[in-house]
């Protein structure tokens, strides 16, 4: 996530490092890939990262023990192999002899130890420190709370290229979790010498297929091929350029003029552009969910503590209208937090999903009336969203539905990313429009954020039964039973209400 954003580049740039090019395939003389970003990235530091747009760049620059291949399956990255103890608690990774940093230094097990300790160090207060705790690494929770020293973290270098990780319980999806940026290595000497400036282009040392050549905040990010990358012989691109273009119509103009190889399709133009240039316009599903979160903490509207109000708001949303007419980019309507495409997950049969919209709306009116609200006594809510055009359009349409069906009065704030995040973290809202994307291909990457220990539980909803089920799922041979129970709890208690699963509608040159 990592939360809120999935870059169009993440769909492709994660796989430009190495490619199986069939013999005889003609390649362009210039292997430069240029694409648009709807906004600037927030960080290049793997341990600071918490959004997917930045992840698309970080994945070019860094690589972890395990990668996720084009099918979402585990593939070896810096690790050339691994062994798992019979009890599932100890993972021993062997690192590739040829793995090198961009300055030529070998990538060592101690580099991973340094990075993972850095992640959980409470002095750093990195937003994704909880990720190590969710991965079950020994002592991570106590270290994050300041109760144990970082040196006690269950990760150690047994030899120069042998890394051992000890878990406090067997986690079936632990390997997949290592493919996320929080567990990427960093170059200790560079971090220690340059501090917070270590990611500047003139300082950064990375171990991915590309090196950072230039970064002009708010303008462009340039990566060039890293000759020291262990799989450099299979790397295709020589240069990747990300250009920040917030105006999607301007991005379309530059795509058509040949300046860009990839850009988002402007909202409402997908059907027309797909007809005009079918070989270049695509709709690609993403493992992300767009949802509304209801603030159940003391800073939220007291009315939202009534489950009937939350249920009414969820029922009054006509998801098919939002996806087919307002957004119109092929997004599937959502009734569960976890997308059906998630590995090993079977969506539960939820009553709301079987109802017609007229039935939902009638039920919503009745629930709101019994809670003491209606058009003669309207509920007032503050709605928070980011300022991305599609997000604003969805919120505008949603609030009109709430007004028309339930009489709800809303005040919407659409904030730039730099204001949106601190406002979200301060829980200065009643209803939050938010997006959550998978860190790895397993349902826990979604459902874990609804547990009481998650720093991303933005609704402030806590349920001991939900916590118990998610803890039980960690060691279950088939956790789908627990996951479907958790989704049922969320559907009944409605701390969040999913709206749709995301797609990336893009223009890609061939």
């Amino acid at each position: 996530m990592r939360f809120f954003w999935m870059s169009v580049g993440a769909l492709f740039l994660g796989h430009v490092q190495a490619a199986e090019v069939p013999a005889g395939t003609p390649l362009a003389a210039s292997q430069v890939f240029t694409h648009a970003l709807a906004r600037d990235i927030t960080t290049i530091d793997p341990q600071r990262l918490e959004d997917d747009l930045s992840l698309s760049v970080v994945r070019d620059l860094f690589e972890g023990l395990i990668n996720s291949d084009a099918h979402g399956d585990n593939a070896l990255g810096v690790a050339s192999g691994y062994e798992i103890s019979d009890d599932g608690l100890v993972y021993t990774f062997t690192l590739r002899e040829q793995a090198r940093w961009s300055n030529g230094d070998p990538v060592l097990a101690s580099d991973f130890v340094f990075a993972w300790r850095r992640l959980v160090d409470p002095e750093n207060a990195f937003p994704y420190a909880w990720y190590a705790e969710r991965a079950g690494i020994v002592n991570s929770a106590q270290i994050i709370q300041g109760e144990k020293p970082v040196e006690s973290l269950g990760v150690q270098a047994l030899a120069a290229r042998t890394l051992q990780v000890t878990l406090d319980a067997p986690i079936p999806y632990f390997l997949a979790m290592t493919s996320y940026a929080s567990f990427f290595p960093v170059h200790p000497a560079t971090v220690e010498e340059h501090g917070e400036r270590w990611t500047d282009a003139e300082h950064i040392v990375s171990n991915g297929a590309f090196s950072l050549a230039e970064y002009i905040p708010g303008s462009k990010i340039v990566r060039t091929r890293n000759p020291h990358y262990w799989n450099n012989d299979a790397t295709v691109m020589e240069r990747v350029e990300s250009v920040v273009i917030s105006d999607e119509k301007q991005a379309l103009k530059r795509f058509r003029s040949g300046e860009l190889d990839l850009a988002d399709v402007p909202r409402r133009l997908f059907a027309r552009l797909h007809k005009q240039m079918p070989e270049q316009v695509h709709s690609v599903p993403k493992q992300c969910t767009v949802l509304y979160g209801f603030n159940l903490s003391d800073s939220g509207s007291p009315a939202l503590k009534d489950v009937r109000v939350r249920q009414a708001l969820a029922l009054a949303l006509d998801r098919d209208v939002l996806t087919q007419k307002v957004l119109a980019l092929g997004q599937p309507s959502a009734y569960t937090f976890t997308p059906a495409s998630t590995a090993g997950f079977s969506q539960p049969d939820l009553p709301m999903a079987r109802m017609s919209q007229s039935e939902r709306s009638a039920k919503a009116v009745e629930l709101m009336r019994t809670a003491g609200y209606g058009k003669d006594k309207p509920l007032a809510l503050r709605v928070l969203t980011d300022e991305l055009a599609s997000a604003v359009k969805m919120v505008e349409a949603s609030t009109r539905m709430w007004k028309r069906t339930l009489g709800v009065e809303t005040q919407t704030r659409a904030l730039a990313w730099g204001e949106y995040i601190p406002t979200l973290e301060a829980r200065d809202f009643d209803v939050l429009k938010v997006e959550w994307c998978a860190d790895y291909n397993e349902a826990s990457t979604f459902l874990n954020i609804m547990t009481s220990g998650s720093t991303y539980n933005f609704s402030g909803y806590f349920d001991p039964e939900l916590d118990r089920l998610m803890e039980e799922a960690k060691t279950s041979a088939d956790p789908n039973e627990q996951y479907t129970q958790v989704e049922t709890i969320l559907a009944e208690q409605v701390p969040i209400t999913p709206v749709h699963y995301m797609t990336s509608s893009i223009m890609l040159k061939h």
Side-chain angles (χ1 to χ4, degrees):
M1 180 199 282
R2 63 202 195 277
F3 68 111
F4 315 123
W5 294 90
M6 171 64 81
S7 160
V8 292
L11 298 169
F12 296 93
L13 300 187
H15 303 293
V16 298
Q17 293 95 324
E20 297 293 334
V21 180
T25 302
L27 297 177
S30 175
Q31 287 296 318
V32 177
F33 186 83
T34 305
H35 72 107
L37 293 180
R39 65 167 177 84
D40 199 3
I41 62 173
T42 59
T43 186
I44 298 174
D45 187 328
Q47 277 75 58
R48 290 183 188 275
L49 186 140
E50 57 177 330
D51 69 289
D52 272 1
L53 191 145
S54 301
L55 180 66
S56 67
V57 175
V58 170
R59 283 199 186 280
D60 286 348
L61 301 174
F62 295 89
E63 183 177 72
L65 297 164
I66 300 294
N67 286 329
S68 179
D69 67 17
H71 305 289
D73 298 325
N74 294 333
L76 293 173
V78 174
S80 61
Y82 56 87
E83 294 180 357
I84 307 173
S85 63
D86 291 341
D87 59 8
L89 297 179
V90 180
Y91 287 69
T92 305
F93 296 91
T94 301
L95 307 190
R96 298 179 185 274
E97 290 282 343
Q98 64 271 46
R100 293 285 186 274
W101 291 99
S102 55
N103 67 351
D105 288 350
V107 178
L108 303 175
S110 56
D111 300 335
F112 283 91
V113 174
F114 178 87
W116 293 18
R117 287 178 177 176
R118 181 172 179 261
L119 173 68
V120 299
D121 191 334
E123 290 190 7
N124 293 326
F126 289 145
Y128 246 62
W130 65 274
Y131 193 74
E133 181 181 351
R134 287 298 168 191
I137 300 176
V138 162
N139 292 332
S140 54
Q142 295 91 331
I143 295 168
I144 293 167
Q145 295 300 318
E147 298 169 358
K148 288 190 176 182
V150 294
E151 292 78 15
S152 67
L153 186 67
V155 55
Q156 58 182 318
L158 300 184
R161 291 186 174 84
T162 306
L163 180 73
Q164 187 176 86
V165 183
T166 305
L167 309 183
D168 53 26
I171 307 291
Y173 47 87
F174 173 73
L175 282 175
M177 292 189 75
T178 68
S179 68
Y180 184 59
S182 293
F183 286 160
F184 287 176
V186 293
H187 191 255
T190 300
V191 176
E192 290 173 339
E193 180 178 356
H194 300 290
E196 292 189 2
R197 300 291 303 273
W198 79 270
T199 55
D200 290 358
E202 62 267 32
H203 303 315
I204 190 169
V205 174
S206 58
N207 74 319
F210 295 89
S211 301
L212 183 64
E214 182 181 16
Y215 175 32
I216 303 175
S219 179
K220 66 178 179 178
I221 310 153
V222 180
R223 287 88 79 198
T224 54
R225 184 169 174 164
N226 173 18
H228 295 288
Y229 179 56
W230 67 267
N231 203 19
N232 181 54
D233 288 346
T235 302
V236 176
M237 297 293 173
E238 294 290 341
R239 181 182 177 94
V240 178
E241 298 183 5
S242 304
V243 184
V244 180
I245 307 173
S246 58
D247 185 334
E248 58 184 12
K249 291 182 179 178
Q250 181 65 22
L252 171 60
K253 181 179 179 180
R254 294 177 67 172
F255 178 84
R256 282 181 149 165
S257 70
E259 296 178 53
L260 299 173
D261 298 299
L262 184 148
D264 285 321
V265 176
R267 193 182 62 87
R268 293 189 180 277
L269 294 183
F270 178 82
R272 190 174 83 191
L273 291 174
H274 188 268
K275 184 176 181 180
Q276 292 176 352
M277 40 188 190
E279 294 184 355
Q280 296 183 339
V281 175
H282 310 271
S283 182
V284 183
K286 299 191 298 191
Q287 207 171 5
C288 303
T289 304
V290 176
L291 60 148
Y292 288 112
F294 301 121
N295 184 358
L296 306 185
S297 72
D298 291 340
S299 63
S301 169
L304 291 174
K305 295 185 185 297
D306 189 331
V307 68
R308 295 171 297 182
V309 172
R310 304 194 301 271
Q311 290 171 342
L313 292 168
L315 287 162
L317 289 172
D318 191 330
R319 288 159 176 78
D320 291 343
V321 168
L322 292 174
T323 57
Q324 296 171 21
K325 296 183 178 180
V326 177
L327 300 172
L329 292 174
Q331 304 95 328
S333 297
Y335 296 94
T336 61
F337 190 9
T338 310
S341 60
T342 305
F345 176 69
S346 298
Q347 290 180 314
D349 182 19
L350 300 177
M352 185 170 71
R354 298 195 306 269
M355 298 167 70
S356 68
Q357 189 54 47
S358 61
E359 291 172 330
R360 294 187 197 111
S361 295
K363 180 69 172 176
V365 171
E366 177 63 17
L367 285 166
M368 193 67 92
R369 185 189 64 78
T370 58
Y373 299 96
K375 293 182 179 180
D376 56 340
K377 186 184 177 182
L379 172 64
L381 296 173
R382 301 166 300 149
V383 182
L384 175 65
T385 179
D386 60 83
E387 64 177 3
L388 194 67
S390 59
V392 173
K393 287 292 183 183
M394 190 188 87
V395 169
E396 288 175 345
S398 299
T399 54
R400 285 196 299 270
M401 292 173 182
W402 287 332
K403 171 71 172 178
R404 182 176 63 250
T405 305
L406 304 173
V408 175
E409 301 286 349
T410 55
Q411 180 184 31
T412 299
R413 285 181 297 170
L415 302 181
W417 191 255
E419 298 176 273
Y420 172 77
I421 294 299
T423 305
L424 177 157
E425 292 174 340
R427 289 204 174 111
D428 185 11
F429 62 87
D430 297 321
V431 181
L432 171 73
K433 179 268 170 189
V434 68
E435 301 161 12
W436 187 269
C437 296
D439 295 331
Y440 49 93
N441 192 12
E442 214 266 351
S444 61
T445 192
F446 292 94
L447 300 179
N448 271 336
I449 75 163
M450 299 308 301
T451 60
S452 58
S454 171
T455 55
Y456 291 107
N457 190 335
F458 36 76
S459 70
Y461 171 76
F462 304 117
D463 185 329
E465 177 64 7
L466 187 152
D467 284 354
R468 185 192 69 79
L469 287 166
M470 289 307 296
E471 192 64 29
E472 190 178 279
K474 283 184 178 181
T475 55
S476 174
D478 181 11
N480 190 63
E481 179 180 350
Q482 287 85 7
Y483 295 152
T484 54
Q485 289 182 62
V486 169
E487 288 283 7
T488 301
I489 291 173
L490 294 178
E492 292 173 350
Q493 295 301 311
V494 202
I496 61 172
T497 185
V499 179
H500 69 83
Y501 305 120
M502 293 178 68
T503 58
S504 183
S505 297
I506 58 164
M507 302 172 288
L508 176 67
K509 289 194 175 175
H510 296 284

